[in-house]
Amino acid sequence: MDKAIIFGIYDFVSFHTSQTLLNQGIEVVGITFEDKDEIPFYEEKRLEVGRNANFSEQSFSKWEKERELEKSKTVLVFSIYDLYMMNKETRFLKKSVMKPIVNYIEKNNKNIEIVCLLPIQELGSSNERQLGSFLEQISRIAESMHVFYLPAIYGPWQPETFLFQQSILSKIQRIEIQKGDREWTKDILFVCDAVESIFELVASEKSGKYVLQSGKKEYWSKCASYLQIDESLSIQDVSEPVKIENQMVTVPVRHITPIADSITQQVEHVRRLYQGNL
């Protein structure tokens, strides 16, 4: 891989993906959909990656107009996981978004790999069927495509839709802690561990579908307990059970950052981020 194009660059997992790849010396083009004023903590995030000479940022409309033939091996990253947690997963269903992406893949098929990140809740759910048109169109034309189903993900820059971020914020601000109906509580991964494992698999494995997991029993609950989150909030309420198909590979992440270390990173990041707003 010489280059990555990441759609929704400043979303949670997408942003950590960009940092991981930049640290490996890979060129990253970050695509934005919203105006800068609509992106939470845009300036802070831009400062973290903007100084890297391998990073560039483009709006989707500009990328659409300036699409070029790729001469080097390029990975396209679509984090539907991030959109799902923010109730924005229909973004890629819009014809104005889907058509340019499909055209780009068709023209560059020999030199690109597709990486799609989805929430594990999508397995067998009505949401997966809703997003099927996007995934099916891409899978039909892409020569290389990796699909990863993710459990809950935590770490720095986690959105406030997650209980962990709410719990940490409640220590410094008055907010009501409320579990969203989209939060998965059967397993969880530290974002850096998840992204590292994803791209190890992309580099070493052929196209396929993978279900990432911690490999640890009741790991979400153990992490929640470290943050002293009320047990009543951790009750699993996903209406449809996941359905892991035969062709899917269940993969425990290679490395698990200790709970104390990973959560401390998120806590300290929240304190630094919000300190100026207190």
Side-chain angles (χ1 to χ4, degrees), residues 89-104:
E89 70 269 22
T90 57
R91 172 184 290 168
F92 291 122
L93 296 179
K94 297 178 180 178
K95 187 176 181 180
S96 59
V97 173
M98 184 185 294
K99 186 175 179 180
I101 290 173
V102 169
N103 289 341
Y104 170 86

Side-chain angles (χ1 to χ4, degrees), residues 18 78 139 191:
S18 71
F78 302 96
S139 63
V191 63

Side-chain angles (χ1 to χ4, degrees), residues 127-183:
N127 285 323
E128 184 186 35
R129 291 188 290 272
Q130 183 184 29
L131 288 167
S133 58
F134 175 73
L135 296 174
E136 286 174 11
Q137 281 200 48
I138 290 180
S139 63
R140 281 201 301 267
I141 60 176
E143 292 192 5
S144 179
M145 181 171 176
H146 295 77
V147 179
F148 294 91
Y149 292 91
L150 309 179
I153 304 292
Y154 72 100
W157 299 112
Q158 190 186 49
E160 293 179 31
T161 53
F162 289 85
L163 270 176
F164 283 25
Q165 187 76 349
Q166 292 179 37
S167 175
I168 296 168
L169 278 172
S170 70
K171 305 295 192 302
I172 58 176
Q173 293 181 343
R174 286 190 175 184
I175 66 168
E176 179 184 358
I177 300 177
Q178 186 175 2
K179 179 179 177 294
D181 60 2
R182 293 190 164 200
E183 184 155 6

Side-chain angles (χ1 to χ4, degrees), residues 120-249:
I120 196 170
Q121 297 96 311
E122 298 272 303
L123 287 175
S125 72
S126 58
N127 285 323
E128 184 186 35
R129 291 188 290 272
Q130 183 184 29
L131 288 167
S133 58
F134 175 73
L135 296 174
E136 286 174 11
Q137 281 200 48
I138 290 180
S139 63
R140 281 201 301 267
I141 60 176
E143 292 192 5
S144 179
M145 181 171 176
H146 295 77
V147 179
F148 294 91
Y149 292 91
L150 309 179
I153 304 292
Y154 72 100
W157 299 112
Q158 190 186 49
E160 293 179 31
T161 53
F162 289 85
L163 270 176
F164 283 25
Q165 187 76 349
Q166 292 179 37
S167 175
I168 296 168
L169 278 172
S170 70
K171 305 295 192 302
I172 58 176
Q173 293 181 343
R174 286 190 175 184
I175 66 168
E176 179 184 358
I177 300 177
Q178 186 175 2
K179 179 179 177 294
D181 60 2
R182 293 190 164 200
E183 184 155 6
W184 182 255
T185 60
K186 288 186 176 179
D187 196 13
I188 196 165
L189 295 172
F190 182 50
V191 63
C192 298
D193 299 340
V195 171
E196 179 182 349
S197 288
I198 286 167
F199 283 93
E200 285 178 352
L201 287 165
V202 169
S204 63
E205 300 289 343
K206 296 180 180 179
S207 297
K209 294 183 178 181
Y210 304 88
V211 180
L212 242 58
Q213 58 179 213
S214 69
K216 296 181 178 291
K217 187 177 181 180
E218 298 181 353
Y219 197 55
W220 191 96
S221 296
K222 291 177 182 177
C223 293
S225 177
Y226 189 88
L227 282 169
Q228 300 180 323
I229 292 175
D230 191 325
E231 289 185 7
S232 65
L233 293 172
S234 67
I235 297 174
Q236 181 63 34
D237 61 359
V238 176
S239 57
E240 297 181 69
V242 299
K243 301 174 183 178
I244 298 177
E245 302 170 4
N246 292 334
Q247 69 270 27
M248 295 180 180
V249 181

